[in-house]
């Protein structure tokens, strides 16, 4: 935020908006961020702004760094949610997780293939969180393999939490019970995403996502009642 408020950054932003039609109507970086965070524009319009920023971030030069900074600030609420979930999963300390997320976000933005991506924010956030989880799982497996602990003392999950050790089994059970909404329930109830975030990720309206989630959880409760 500090770097984006300097006079030099404003001059660079002026160059950026002169070369990018979607950004041309914004007087300053704050106007862009207001639109992306709390503006009333349609999701498609906001996505076009993000596409323009990603393209500029990949172009090189001073404008590239300016666009990258704006992208990080635009994604900040989502990045912070990933940070909180990662700390909850014990992927690392607060400082370690924050540093890793910023590094991965910058790398992902610079290398994103805009020809293969529909929803910019959802794709970047999903990829970062997925990579953090996979890295932690690899580290857990390596630590287990290096361990010389007696086999009788090794926990059933081999040092990996149940939440990450058997996602396939859980997903299969949920599919049998609630069908195609299994992914939706896992993303909200287990991975910790909000229904709004999942709606954006899956290309659904928030109202449709909310109805499907409520229907699926009702079905789960009904099934669980049968086993009491």
């Amino acid at each position: 935020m500090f770097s984006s408020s300097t006079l030099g950054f404003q001059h660079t932003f002026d160059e950026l908006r002169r070369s990018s039609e979607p950004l041309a109507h914004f007087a300053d970086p704050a106007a862009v961020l207001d639109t992306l965070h709390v503006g009333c524009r349609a999701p498609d319009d906001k996505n076009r702004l993000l596409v323009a920023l990603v393209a500029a971030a990949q172009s090189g030069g001073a404008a590239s760094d300016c666009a990258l900074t704006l992208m990080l600030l635009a994604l900040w609420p989502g990045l912070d949610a990933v940070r909180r979930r990662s700390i909850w999963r014990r992927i690392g300390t607060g400082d370690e997780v924050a540093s890793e997320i910023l590094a991965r976000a910058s790398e992902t933005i610079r290398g994103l293939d805009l020809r293969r991506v529909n929803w910019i924010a959802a794709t970047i956030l999903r990829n970062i969180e997925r990579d953090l989880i996979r890295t932690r799982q690899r580290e857990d497996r390596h630590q287990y393999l290096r361990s010389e602990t007696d086999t009788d003392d090794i926990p059933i999950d081999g040092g990996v939490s149940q939440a990450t050790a058997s996602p396939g089994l859980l997903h299969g059970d949920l599919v049998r019970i609630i069908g195609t909404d299994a992914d939706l329930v896992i993303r909200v109830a287990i991975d910790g995403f909000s229904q709004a975030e999942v709606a954006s990720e899956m290309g659904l309206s928030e109202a449709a996502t909310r109805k499907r989630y409520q229907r699926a959880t009702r079905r789960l409760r009904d099934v669980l009642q049968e086993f009491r």
Side-chain angles (χ1 to χ4, degrees):
M1 285 299 297
F2 175 78
S3 65
S4 69
S5 64
T6 63
L7 184 60
F9 192 91
Q10 178 65 53
H11 288 328
T12 306
F13 176 76
D14 289 339
E15 297 176 11
L16 178 60
R17 69 191 186 97
R18 283 195 293 268
S19 62
S20 178
E21 192 278 332
L23 298 169
H25 305 294
F26 296 95
D28 51 42
V32 176
L33 297 176
D34 284 344
T35 297
L36 291 171
H37 287 163
V38 296
C40 58
R41 289 200 180 192
D44 285 346
D45 292 336
K46 293 183 179 182
N47 196 59
R48 278 191 286 272
L49 285 176
L50 294 177
V51 169
L53 288 174
V54 170
Q58 296 176 354
S59 64
S64 171
D65 292 336
C66 173
L68 177 62
T69 299
L70 286 174
M71 274 298 300
L72 293 173
L73 292 173
L75 296 173
W76 200 264
L79 293 173
D80 186 54
V82 172
R83 180 189 65 84
R84 286 185 276 106
R85 288 193 293 269
S86 298
I87 293 173
W88 178 79
R89 293 187 180 105
R90 298 183 180 179
I91 288 177
T93 65
D95 288 344
E96 290 171 343
V97 168
S99 177
E100 183 72 11
I101 286 175
L102 283 178
R104 288 182 181 274
S106 300
E107 181 181 359
T108 301
I109 292 167
R110 298 282 200 197
L112 196 66
D113 187 348
L114 292 173
R115 297 169 299 179
R116 303 179 59 184
V117 174
N118 293 322
W119 293 100
I120 299 297
T123 299
I124 292 173
L125 296 173
R126 183 178 62 245
N127 288 353
I128 291 171
E129 188 157 18
R130 178 202 61 200
D131 291 345
L132 286 170
I133 292 173
R134 287 179 175 175
T135 298
R136 175 56 189 267
Q137 289 175 338
R138 284 197 298 269
E139 290 173 352
D140 285 342
R141 285 194 292 269
H142 292 162
Q143 183 176 357
Y144 167 63
L145 292 173
R146 290 195 302 266
S147 174
E148 295 180 358
T149 307
D150 187 83
T151 55
D152 291 336
D153 297 329
I154 297 175
I156 292 175
D157 63 3
V160 182
S161 67
Q162 290 293 334
T164 59
S166 56
L169 293 176
L170 175 62
H171 183 270
D173 289 339
L174 286 177
V175 168
R176 283 190 290 273
I177 297 172
I178 57 178
T180 57
D181 287 332
D183 289 330
L184 168 59
V185 171
I186 288 174
R187 296 297 274 171
V188 174
I190 295 176
D191 291 342
F193 286 85
S194 70
Q195 292 183 30
E197 289 173 320
V198 177
S200 175
E201 177 181 320
M202 300 179 72
L204 302 171
S205 69
E206 290 187 34
T209 301
R210 184 167 55 252
K211 289 179 181 178
R212 289 175 58 172
Y213 183 77
Q214 291 172 347
R215 183 178 62 229
T217 52
R218 273 199 306 271
R219 174 58 181 157
L220 280 173
R221 282 195 296 269
D222 291 342
V223 170
L224 291 174
Q225 287 287 345
E226 297 174 3
F227 289 94
R228 289 187 176 181

